Amino acid sequence: MFEGLSTRLSGILDRLKGRGALSEADVQEAMREVRRALLEADVALEVVRSFTDKVRDRAIGAEVIKSVTPGQMVVKIVHDTLVDTLGSEGVAIDLQAVPPVPILMVGLQGSGKTTTTAKIAKRLFDKQKKKVLMASLDTRRPAAMEQLAVLGKQIGVETLPIVAGQTPVQIARRAIEAGRLGGFDVVMLDTAGRTHVDEALMIEVAEVEKVARPHETLLVVDSLTGQDAVNVARSFTGRVNVTGVVLTRVDGDGRGGAALSMRAVTGKPIKLLGTSEKMDGLEDFHPQRIAGRILGMGDIVSLVEKAAESIDAEKGMAIAKRMQSGQFNLDDLGDQLDQMLKIGGMQGLMGMLPGVKNMQKQISGAMDDKVIKRQRAIIHAMTPWERRNPKEIDGKRRRRIARGSGTQPEDVNKLLKMHRGMADMMKAMGGAQGKRGPMAGLANMFGLGGGMPQPTPEMLAELQQKMPGGLPDKMPSLPPGMPGGLPPGFPGLGGGPKLPGLPGFPFGKKK
């Protein structure tokens, strides 16, 4: 969603960073371009004015103009102001109340309330081990209650039995009572929506709120509607005690204006982002991380968190051990490709790595997720014996595999060559444990040796100064399958462009 704005802002700030000295006129010109970029991203006019005024006032100060690196100082000021605009600190769903804790979901029809209700319920059930009850209060939209019941079965969360003829207020009262009698921790109430904000909708929501007395009232808005999402939020906050906002369809081609304007206009924090239609497609909203993505600084913390959730730690350790002994076969490679797709594929990974944003277009061919999917198809077209014995695959077998996977024999050859190179390198790295030299260092990077060294306070202090947003209070831990920061057998080890920050780590080219 932020891709267009990120490209524009990164280009403007890169030009500033390339200059040895900055004048007041340079800053004024850059702020005009920033203002134009924000308006084109559909950010509210009052938010744009406030943002550019804050940046200009701080950037024209003597400490910036006379700084040794004035461009870097301006980037830091833009980053900090962007974080303030987005809300400074991330705000999680508050469950600190006597159970069952009622959570009321409100919003317009088509914004994704029902799906988001199920996503939050799954999140609470899986991550926080809460016993959740979902109830649909939508008595108008056909099959709305049945939709929530189906989603409940998919995610393993209980739903309130449907009783025909009841009003939303009666259903809400019954849901709270059922939650109390059933020993539930959380009761989620999915209200009805309309195609536009009207008085009848507001009266119904207010009546439900009076009966349920929710601890959290989450407003679900569609980020693709741009400034209209902000207008909807303003209308709801005037009538209902909204405690937070959930932005859906963030993975779409919206321009990001709703996210940047929401907190400043409504005063309500964005708590969650809907990133896909899948039930696990929900992310916490962290202003510092989002600001880093917008400015092309990456988001390593979110990447590590996503990897920790998606990667099978036991399988990763088993593969790592086989790598050390040179027993890395095509089944193992297939598992690594699957895990890569689970954490967002190559495009998603590149978007979260610092310094890669500006070179994504140049390496887009090598980073295409279609390459990984094609490699998975080739592996699936092989027999189990062939996957365990790739050295025995002759020309006749390669032609058959190519026909079965819808590819060319050259694609099969490239995959086998890539696998052979990975297996040889991993075996050499495994044999380098306890020794000195470049392979021992590479083995440590992959977790095949002594692992990464523990950072000293001096190292953390130096890194703190280099990062505009600062280091988070607590970094998430890596799963055992990723001891060195990347999954064992990272795919694409052919010839190709090298990424900054990953020395000697090439990726395969797309022919």
mmCIF file of all heavy atoms in Angstrom, residues 250-298:
data_model
loop_
_atom_site.group_PDB
_atom_site.id
_atom_site.type_symbol
_atom_site.label_atom_id
_atom_site.label_comp_id
_atom_site.label_asym_id
_atom_site.label_seq_id
_atom_site.Cartn_x
_atom_site.Cartn_y
_atom_site.Cartn_z
ATOM 1 N N VAL A 250 -4.732 -3.830 3.307
ATOM 2 C CA VAL A 250 -3.479 -3.077 3.230
ATOM 3 C C VAL A 250 -2.588 -3.626 2.121
ATOM 4 O O VAL A 250 -1.700 -2.926 1.627
ATOM 5 C CB VAL A 250 -2.763 -3.123 4.606
ATOM 6 C CG1 VAL A 250 -1.391 -2.478 4.552
ATOM 7 C CG2 VAL A 250 -3.615 -2.429 5.650
ATOM 8 N N ASP A 251 -2.823 -4.880 1.712
ATOM 9 C CA ASP A 251 -2.027 -5.473 0.635
ATOM 10 C C ASP A 251 -2.499 -5.016 -0.731
ATOM 11 O O ASP A 251 -1.926 -5.413 -1.746
ATOM 12 C CB ASP A 251 -2.100 -7.005 0.724
ATOM 13 C CG ASP A 251 -3.538 -7.516 0.687
ATOM 14 O OD1 ASP A 251 -4.424 -6.824 1.231
ATOM 15 O OD2 ASP A 251 -3.772 -8.612 0.144
ATOM 16 N N GLY A 252 -3.543 -4.191 -0.800
ATOM 17 C CA GLY A 252 -4.042 -3.706 -2.079
ATOM 18 C C GLY A 252 -3.204 -2.568 -2.632
ATOM 19 O O GLY A 252 -2.120 -2.252 -2.139
ATOM 20 N N ASP A 253 -3.742 -1.906 -3.668
ATOM 21 C CA ASP A 253 -2.986 -0.843 -4.337
ATOM 22 C C ASP A 253 -3.416 0.541 -3.868
ATOM 23 O O ASP A 253 -3.320 1.515 -4.604
ATOM 24 C CB ASP A 253 -3.133 -0.961 -5.858
ATOM 25 C CG ASP A 253 -4.600 -0.918 -6.295
ATOM 26 O OD1 ASP A 253 -5.477 -0.863 -5.406
ATOM 27 O OD2 ASP A 253 -4.855 -0.942 -7.509
ATOM 28 N N GLY A 254 -3.919 0.631 -2.625
ATOM 29 C CA GLY A 254 -4.247 1.937 -2.061
ATOM 30 C C GLY A 254 -2.989 2.776 -1.891
ATOM 31 O O GLY A 254 -1.874 2.277 -1.923
ATOM 32 N N ARG A 255 -3.185 4.084 -1.683
ATOM 33 C CA ARG A 255 -2.035 4.993 -1.675
ATOM 34 C C ARG A 255 -1.522 5.316 -0.270
ATOM 35 O O ARG A 255 -0.593 6.094 -0.116
ATOM 36 C CB ARG A 255 -2.397 6.280 -2.424
ATOM 37 C CG ARG A 255 -2.549 6.059 -3.912
ATOM 38 C CD ARG A 255 -3.038 7.296 -4.610
ATOM 39 N NE ARG A 255 -4.451 7.573 -4.328
ATOM 40 C CZ ARG A 255 -5.097 8.623 -4.821
ATOM 41 N NH1 ARG A 255 -4.477 9.484 -5.590
ATOM 42 N NH2 ARG A 255 -6.379 8.807 -4.532
ATOM 43 N N GLY A 256 -2.118 4.756 0.753
ATOM 44 C CA GLY A 256 -1.582 4.915 2.103
ATOM 45 C C GLY A 256 -2.068 6.132 2.852
ATOM 46 O O GLY A 256 -1.695 6.350 4.007
ATOM 47 N N GLY A 257 -2.903 6.975 2.210
ATOM 48 C CA GLY A 257 -3.355 8.191 2.863
ATOM 49 C C GLY A 257 -4.194 7.940 4.098
ATOM 50 O O GLY A 257 -4.118 8.692 5.076
ATOM 51 N N ALA A 258 -5.005 6.867 4.076
ATOM 52 C CA ALA A 258 -5.874 6.569 5.222
ATOM 53 C C ALA A 258 -5.046 6.274 6.470
ATOM 54 O O ALA A 258 -5.346 6.764 7.560
ATOM 55 C CB ALA A 258 -6.784 5.388 4.891
ATOM 56 N N ALA A 259 -3.984 5.487 6.312
ATOM 57 C CA ALA A 259 -3.153 5.120 7.468
ATOM 58 C C ALA A 259 -2.443 6.337 8.046
ATOM 59 O O ALA A 259 -2.353 6.505 9.265
ATOM 60 C CB ALA A 259 -2.136 4.056 7.060
ATOM 61 N N LEU A 260 -1.949 7.217 7.177
ATOM 62 C CA LEU A 260 -1.208 8.383 7.649
ATOM 63 C C LEU A 260 -2.121 9.436 8.275
ATOM 64 O O LEU A 260 -1.690 10.210 9.122
ATOM 65 C CB LEU A 260 -0.433 9.008 6.483
ATOM 66 C CG LEU A 260 0.811 8.241 6.025
ATOM 67 C CD1 LEU A 260 1.344 8.815 4.727
ATOM 68 C CD2 LEU A 260 1.885 8.297 7.090
ATOM 69 N N SER A 261 -3.388 9.461 7.854
ATOM 70 C CA SER A 261 -4.304 10.488 8.337
ATOM 71 C C SER A 261 -5.113 10.054 9.543
ATOM 72 O O SER A 261 -5.578 10.904 10.315
ATOM 73 C CB SER A 261 -5.273 10.891 7.206
ATOM 74 O OG SER A 261 -4.586 11.247 6.044
ATOM 75 N N MET A 262 -5.309 8.754 9.735
ATOM 76 C CA MET A 262 -6.290 8.241 10.697
ATOM 77 C C MET A 262 -6.033 8.739 12.117
ATOM 78 O O MET A 262 -6.924 9.283 12.771
ATOM 79 C CB MET A 262 -6.273 6.715 10.664
ATOM 80 C CG MET A 262 -7.420 6.064 11.421
ATOM 81 S SD MET A 262 -9.022 6.364 10.669
ATOM 82 C CE MET A 262 -8.864 5.435 9.148
ATOM 83 N N ARG A 263 -4.821 8.561 12.623
ATOM 84 C CA ARG A 263 -4.527 8.934 14.012
ATOM 85 C C ARG A 263 -4.627 10.445 14.201
ATOM 86 O O ARG A 263 -5.182 10.931 15.192
ATOM 87 C CB ARG A 263 -3.134 8.424 14.396
ATOM 88 C CG ARG A 263 -2.698 8.776 15.824
ATOM 89 C CD ARG A 263 -3.593 8.112 16.844
ATOM 90 N NE ARG A 263 -3.220 8.433 18.216
ATOM 91 C CZ ARG A 263 -2.544 7.619 19.016
ATOM 92 N NH1 ARG A 263 -2.152 6.439 18.568
ATOM 93 N NH2 ARG A 263 -2.277 7.953 20.253
ATOM 94 N N ALA A 264 -4.092 11.210 13.249
ATOM 95 C CA ALA A 264 -4.068 12.660 13.394
ATOM 96 C C ALA A 264 -5.474 13.265 13.331
ATOM 97 O O ALA A 264 -5.773 14.221 14.056
ATOM 98 C CB ALA A 264 -3.185 13.280 12.304
ATOM 99 N N VAL A 265 -6.339 12.710 12.488
ATOM 100 C CA VAL A 265 -7.680 13.277 12.302
ATOM 101 C C VAL A 265 -8.639 12.822 13.393
ATOM 102 O O VAL A 265 -9.410 13.613 13.938
ATOM 103 C CB VAL A 265 -8.236 12.909 10.909
ATOM 104 C CG1 VAL A 265 -9.690 13.345 10.771
ATOM 105 C CG2 VAL A 265 -7.400 13.565 9.821
ATOM 106 N N THR A 266 -8.612 11.526 13.732
ATOM 107 C CA THR A 266 -9.594 10.975 14.676
ATOM 108 C C THR A 266 -9.072 10.898 16.107
ATOM 109 O O THR A 266 -9.869 10.827 17.041
ATOM 110 C CB THR A 266 -10.016 9.564 14.242
ATOM 111 O OG1 THR A 266 -8.902 8.667 14.353
ATOM 112 C CG2 THR A 266 -10.523 9.564 12.809
ATOM 113 N N GLY A 267 -7.758 10.878 16.279
ATOM 114 C CA GLY A 267 -7.204 10.710 17.614
ATOM 115 C C GLY A 267 -7.257 9.284 18.112
ATOM 116 O O GLY A 267 -6.883 9.006 19.257
ATOM 117 N N LYS A 268 -7.703 8.346 17.279
ATOM 118 C CA LYS A 268 -7.807 6.937 17.662
ATOM 119 C C LYS A 268 -6.655 6.146 17.056
ATOM 120 O O LYS A 268 -6.315 6.321 15.885
ATOM 121 C CB LYS A 268 -9.139 6.337 17.188
ATOM 122 C CG LYS A 268 -10.360 7.101 17.674
ATOM 123 C CD LYS A 268 -10.450 7.132 19.189
ATOM 124 C CE LYS A 268 -11.668 7.907 19.671
ATOM 125 N NZ LYS A 268 -11.728 7.987 21.145
ATOM 126 N N PRO A 269 -6.044 5.265 17.807
ATOM 127 C CA PRO A 269 -4.879 4.520 17.293
ATOM 128 C C PRO A 269 -5.278 3.419 16.323
ATOM 129 O O PRO A 269 -6.327 2.782 16.485
ATOM 130 C CB PRO A 269 -4.270 3.922 18.562
ATOM 131 C CG PRO A 269 -5.431 3.753 19.495
ATOM 132 C CD PRO A 269 -6.354 4.904 19.216
ATOM 133 N N ILE A 270 -4.443 3.212 15.317
ATOM 134 C CA ILE A 270 -4.589 2.030 14.458
ATOM 135 C C ILE A 270 -3.966 0.861 15.209
ATOM 136 O O ILE A 270 -2.796 0.916 15.583
ATOM 137 C CB ILE A 270 -3.891 2.245 13.099
ATOM 138 C CG1 ILE A 270 -4.479 3.454 12.378
ATOM 139 C CG2 ILE A 270 -4.022 1.000 12.231
ATOM 140 C CD1 ILE A 270 -3.732 3.826 11.106
ATOM 141 N N LYS A 271 -4.739 -0.181 15.449
ATOM 142 C CA LYS A 271 -4.245 -1.310 16.245
ATOM 143 C C LYS A 271 -3.810 -2.492 15.398
ATOM 144 O O LYS A 271 -2.880 -3.206 15.761
ATOM 145 C CB LYS A 271 -5.312 -1.747 17.251
ATOM 146 C CG LYS A 271 -5.625 -0.684 18.295
ATOM 147 C CD LYS A 271 -6.352 -1.241 19.497
ATOM 148 C CE LYS A 271 -6.468 -0.195 20.603
ATOM 149 N NZ LYS A 271 -7.052 -0.744 21.843
ATOM 150 N N LEU A 272 -4.499 -2.722 14.264
ATOM 151 C CA LEU A 272 -4.192 -3.900 13.446
ATOM 152 C C LEU A 272 -4.281 -3.550 11.967
ATOM 153 O O LEU A 272 -5.015 -2.637 11.562
ATOM 154 C CB LEU A 272 -5.166 -5.047 13.762
ATOM 155 C CG LEU A 272 -5.100 -5.648 15.180
ATOM 156 C CD1 LEU A 272 -6.328 -6.510 15.439
ATOM 157 C CD2 LEU A 272 -3.841 -6.452 15.370
ATOM 158 N N LEU A 273 -3.551 -4.307 11.158
ATOM 159 C CA LEU A 273 -3.582 -4.176 9.707
ATOM 160 C C LEU A 273 -3.973 -5.519 9.091
ATOM 161 O O LEU A 273 -3.365 -6.543 9.417
ATOM 162 C CB LEU A 273 -2.213 -3.753 9.163
ATOM 163 C CG LEU A 273 -1.647 -2.405 9.615
ATOM 164 C CD1 LEU A 273 -0.229 -2.224 9.068
ATOM 165 C CD2 LEU A 273 -2.534 -1.264 9.152
ATOM 166 N N GLY A 274 -4.968 -5.517 8.216
ATOM 167 C CA GLY A 274 -5.341 -6.725 7.481
ATOM 168 C C GLY A 274 -4.511 -6.824 6.221
ATOM 169 O O GLY A 274 -4.624 -5.980 5.327
ATOM 170 N N THR A 275 -3.645 -7.845 6.144
ATOM 171 C CA THR A 275 -2.679 -7.921 5.042
ATOM 172 C C THR A 275 -3.041 -8.932 3.963
ATOM 173 O O THR A 275 -2.376 -8.984 2.939
ATOM 174 C CB THR A 275 -1.290 -8.282 5.600
ATOM 175 O OG1 THR A 275 -1.385 -9.499 6.363
ATOM 176 C CG2 THR A 275 -0.788 -7.184 6.528
ATOM 177 N N SER A 276 -4.077 -9.755 4.194
ATOM 178 C CA SER A 276 -4.492 -10.716 3.164
ATOM 179 C C SER A 276 -5.846 -11.284 3.536
ATOM 180 O O SER A 276 -6.380 -11.008 4.615
ATOM 181 C CB SER A 276 -3.459 -11.854 3.032
ATOM 182 O OG SER A 276 -3.546 -12.735 4.143
ATOM 183 N N GLU A 277 -6.401 -12.100 2.651
ATOM 184 C CA GLU A 277 -7.690 -12.735 2.919
ATOM 185 C C GLU A 277 -7.541 -13.967 3.812
ATOM 186 O O GLU A 277 -8.527 -14.478 4.331
ATOM 187 C CB GLU A 277 -8.357 -13.155 1.595
ATOM 188 C CG GLU A 277 -8.928 -12.002 0.802
ATOM 189 C CD GLU A 277 -10.100 -11.326 1.504
ATOM 190 O OE1 GLU A 277 -10.934 -12.032 2.105
ATOM 191 O OE2 GLU A 277 -10.172 -10.087 1.472
ATOM 192 N N LYS A 278 -6.321 -14.450 3.991
ATOM 193 C CA LYS A 278 -6.108 -15.631 4.818
ATOM 194 C C LYS A 278 -6.364 -15.305 6.286
ATOM 195 O O LYS A 278 -6.256 -14.160 6.713
ATOM 196 C CB LYS A 278 -4.683 -16.149 4.643
ATOM 197 C CG LYS A 278 -4.382 -16.630 3.225
ATOM 198 C CD LYS A 278 -2.945 -17.110 3.108
ATOM 199 C CE LYS A 278 -2.634 -17.590 1.696
ATOM 200 N NZ LYS A 278 -1.218 -18.018 1.557
ATOM 201 N N MET A 279 -6.703 -16.345 7.052
ATOM 202 C CA MET A 279 -7.060 -16.130 8.446
ATOM 203 C C MET A 279 -5.885 -15.660 9.308
ATOM 204 O O MET A 279 -6.087 -15.120 10.387
ATOM 205 C CB MET A 279 -7.643 -17.427 9.039
ATOM 206 C CG MET A 279 -9.065 -17.738 8.591
ATOM 207 S SD MET A 279 -10.281 -16.505 9.136
ATOM 208 C CE MET A 279 -10.568 -15.591 7.632
ATOM 209 N N ASP A 280 -4.660 -15.866 8.839
ATOM 210 C CA ASP A 280 -3.506 -15.370 9.587
ATOM 211 C C ASP A 280 -2.984 -14.056 9.010
ATOM 212 O O ASP A 280 -1.919 -13.581 9.395
ATOM 213 C CB ASP A 280 -2.388 -16.414 9.608
ATOM 214 C CG ASP A 280 -1.942 -16.815 8.214
ATOM 215 O OD1 ASP A 280 -2.573 -16.370 7.233
ATOM 216 O OD2 ASP A 280 -0.978 -17.594 8.091
ATOM 217 N N GLY A 281 -3.735 -13.466 8.091
ATOM 218 C CA GLY A 281 -3.312 -12.226 7.450
ATOM 219 C C GLY A 281 -3.653 -11.002 8.274
ATOM 220 O O GLY A 281 -4.446 -10.147 7.856
ATOM 221 N N LEU A 282 -3.052 -10.913 9.469
ATOM 222 C CA LEU A 282 -3.310 -9.800 10.370
ATOM 223 C C LEU A 282 -1.999 -9.436 11.072
ATOM 224 O O LEU A 282 -1.297 -10.317 11.569
ATOM 225 C CB LEU A 282 -4.372 -10.200 11.402
ATOM 226 C CG LEU A 282 -5.125 -9.080 12.133
ATOM 227 C CD1 LEU A 282 -5.961 -8.270 11.154
ATOM 228 C CD2 LEU A 282 -6.018 -9.665 13.208
ATOM 229 N N GLU A 283 -1.669 -8.155 11.083
ATOM 230 C CA GLU A 283 -0.423 -7.700 11.706
ATOM 231 C C GLU A 283 -0.708 -6.609 12.732
ATOM 232 O O GLU A 283 -1.632 -5.813 12.566
ATOM 233 C CB GLU A 283 0.538 -7.106 10.650
ATOM 234 C CG GLU A 283 1.168 -8.106 9.718
ATOM 235 C CD GLU A 283 2.155 -7.429 8.769
ATOM 236 O OE1 GLU A 283 2.402 -6.215 8.947
ATOM 237 O OE2 GLU A 283 2.658 -8.105 7.863
ATOM 238 N N ASP A 284 0.107 -6.571 13.784
ATOM 239 C CA ASP A 284 0.058 -5.448 14.709
ATOM 240 C C ASP A 284 0.569 -4.204 14.001
ATOM 241 O O ASP A 284 1.461 -4.277 13.141
ATOM 242 C CB ASP A 284 0.927 -5.722 15.942
ATOM 243 C CG ASP A 284 0.343 -6.808 16.833
ATOM 244 O OD1 ASP A 284 -0.890 -6.797 17.035
ATOM 245 O OD2 ASP A 284 1.101 -7.668 17.310
ATOM 246 N N PHE A 285 0.010 -3.059 14.361
ATOM 247 C CA PHE A 285 0.446 -1.798 13.762
ATOM 248 C C PHE A 285 1.518 -1.175 14.643
ATOM 249 O O PHE A 285 1.259 -0.797 15.789
ATOM 250 C CB PHE A 285 -0.749 -0.843 13.620
ATOM 251 C CG PHE A 285 -0.402 0.460 12.946
ATOM 252 C CD1 PHE A 285 -0.329 0.535 11.564
ATOM 253 C CD2 PHE A 285 -0.141 1.600 13.692
ATOM 254 C CE1 PHE A 285 0.002 1.735 10.939
ATOM 255 C CE2 PHE A 285 0.180 2.798 13.083
ATOM 256 C CZ PHE A 285 0.256 2.863 11.701
ATOM 257 N N HIS A 286 2.735 -1.085 14.114
ATOM 258 C CA HIS A 286 3.854 -0.472 14.837
ATOM 259 C C HIS A 286 4.304 0.763 14.059
ATOM 260 O O HIS A 286 4.896 0.637 12.974
ATOM 261 C CB HIS A 286 5.021 -1.453 14.975
ATOM 262 C CG HIS A 286 4.716 -2.663 15.792
ATOM 263 N ND1 HIS A 286 4.639 -2.621 17.164
ATOM 264 C CD2 HIS A 286 4.435 -3.943 15.443
ATOM 265 C CE1 HIS A 286 4.345 -3.822 17.639
ATOM 266 N NE2 HIS A 286 4.212 -4.644 16.607
ATOM 267 N N PRO A 287 4.037 1.971 14.566
ATOM 268 C CA PRO A 287 4.384 3.194 13.812
ATOM 269 C C PRO A 287 5.844 3.265 13.383
ATOM 270 O O PRO A 287 6.141 3.665 12.254
ATOM 271 C CB PRO A 287 4.050 4.309 14.817
ATOM 272 C CG PRO A 287 2.974 3.735 15.663
ATOM 273 C CD PRO A 287 3.316 2.276 15.812
ATOM 274 N N GLN A 288 6.787 2.864 14.272
ATOM 275 C CA GLN A 288 8.203 2.948 13.910
ATOM 276 C C GLN A 288 8.536 2.022 12.740
ATOM 277 O O GLN A 288 9.292 2.376 11.842
ATOM 278 C CB GLN A 288 9.073 2.605 15.114
ATOM 279 C CG GLN A 288 9.150 3.712 16.152
ATOM 280 C CD GLN A 288 10.345 3.547 17.073
ATOM 281 O OE1 GLN A 288 11.005 2.518 17.056
ATOM 282 N NE2 GLN A 288 10.625 4.565 17.862
ATOM 283 N N ARG A 289 7.957 0.828 12.755
ATOM 284 C CA ARG A 289 8.242 -0.130 11.671
ATOM 285 C C ARG A 289 7.625 0.344 10.350
ATOM 286 O O ARG A 289 8.249 0.235 9.281
ATOM 287 C CB ARG A 289 7.703 -1.507 12.037
ATOM 288 C CG ARG A 289 8.264 -2.059 13.339
ATOM 289 C CD ARG A 289 7.764 -3.467 13.570
ATOM 290 N NE ARG A 289 8.002 -3.918 14.949
ATOM 291 C CZ ARG A 289 7.683 -5.105 15.404
ATOM 292 N NH1 ARG A 289 7.089 -5.978 14.591
ATOM 293 N NH2 ARG A 289 7.922 -5.444 16.655
ATOM 294 N N ILE A 290 6.389 0.863 10.410
ATOM 295 C CA ILE A 290 5.738 1.351 9.196
ATOM 296 C C ILE A 290 6.514 2.535 8.623
ATOM 297 O O ILE A 290 6.708 2.643 7.411
ATOM 298 C CB ILE A 290 4.277 1.755 9.497
ATOM 299 C CG1 ILE A 290 3.458 0.532 9.940
ATOM 300 C CG2 ILE A 290 3.641 2.402 8.275
ATOM 301 C CD1 ILE A 290 3.317 -0.540 8.887
ATOM 302 N N ALA A 291 6.967 3.450 9.508
ATOM 303 C CA ALA A 291 7.759 4.595 9.042
ATOM 304 C C ALA A 291 9.038 4.115 8.370
ATOM 305 O O ALA A 291 9.458 4.663 7.349
ATOM 306 C CB ALA A 291 8.081 5.513 10.222
ATOM 307 N N GLY A 292 9.667 3.085 8.934
ATOM 308 C CA GLY A 292 10.876 2.533 8.339
ATOM 309 C C GLY A 292 10.611 1.956 6.954
ATOM 310 O O GLY A 292 11.396 2.137 6.024
ATOM 311 N N ARG A 293 9.474 1.268 6.793
ATOM 312 C CA ARG A 293 9.129 0.718 5.470
ATOM 313 C C ARG A 293 8.875 1.831 4.465
ATOM 314 O O ARG A 293 9.308 1.755 3.310
ATOM 315 C CB ARG A 293 7.865 -0.144 5.578
ATOM 316 C CG ARG A 293 8.051 -1.441 6.360
ATOM 317 C CD ARG A 293 6.810 -2.305 6.224
ATOM 318 N NE ARG A 293 6.659 -3.226 7.344
ATOM 319 C CZ ARG A 293 5.666 -4.075 7.472
ATOM 320 N NH1 ARG A 293 4.702 -4.118 6.563
ATOM 321 N NH2 ARG A 293 5.592 -4.889 8.513
ATOM 322 N N ILE A 294 8.158 2.884 4.892
ATOM 323 C CA ILE A 294 7.835 3.978 3.975
ATOM 324 C C ILE A 294 9.108 4.669 3.485
ATOM 325 O O ILE A 294 9.218 5.038 2.313
ATOM 326 C CB ILE A 294 6.899 4.991 4.666
ATOM 327 C CG1 ILE A 294 5.522 4.358 4.915
ATOM 328 C CG2 ILE A 294 6.742 6.257 3.821
ATOM 329 C CD1 ILE A 294 4.566 5.236 5.697
ATOM 330 N N LEU A 295 10.080 4.831 4.374
ATOM 331 C CA LEU A 295 11.319 5.523 4.005
ATOM 332 C C LEU A 295 12.380 4.581 3.445
ATOM 333 O O LEU A 295 13.525 4.974 3.264
ATOM 334 C CB LEU A 295 11.877 6.270 5.218
ATOM 335 C CG LEU A 295 10.983 7.385 5.773
ATOM 336 C CD1 LEU A 295 11.641 8.053 6.962
ATOM 337 C CD2 LEU A 295 10.656 8.413 4.698
ATOM 338 N N GLY A 296 12.004 3.316 3.181
ATOM 339 C CA GLY A 296 12.941 2.376 2.568
ATOM 340 C C GLY A 296 14.016 1.877 3.500
ATOM 341 O O GLY A 296 15.062 1.405 3.054
ATOM 342 N N MET A 297 13.787 1.957 4.823
ATOM 343 C CA MET A 297 14.784 1.510 5.795
ATOM 344 C C MET A 297 14.591 0.061 6.203
ATOM 345 O O MET A 297 15.344 -0.467 7.016
ATOM 346 C CB MET A 297 14.713 2.401 7.063
ATOM 347 C CG MET A 297 15.007 3.849 6.799
ATOM 348 S SD MET A 297 14.694 4.852 8.273
ATOM 349 C CE MET A 297 15.037 6.480 7.632
ATOM 350 N N GLY A 298 13.548 -0.584 5.681
ATOM 351 C CA GLY A 298 13.303 -1.980 6.000
ATOM 352 C C GLY A 298 12.608 -2.162 7.339
ATOM 353 O O GLY A 298 12.331 -1.205 8.060
#
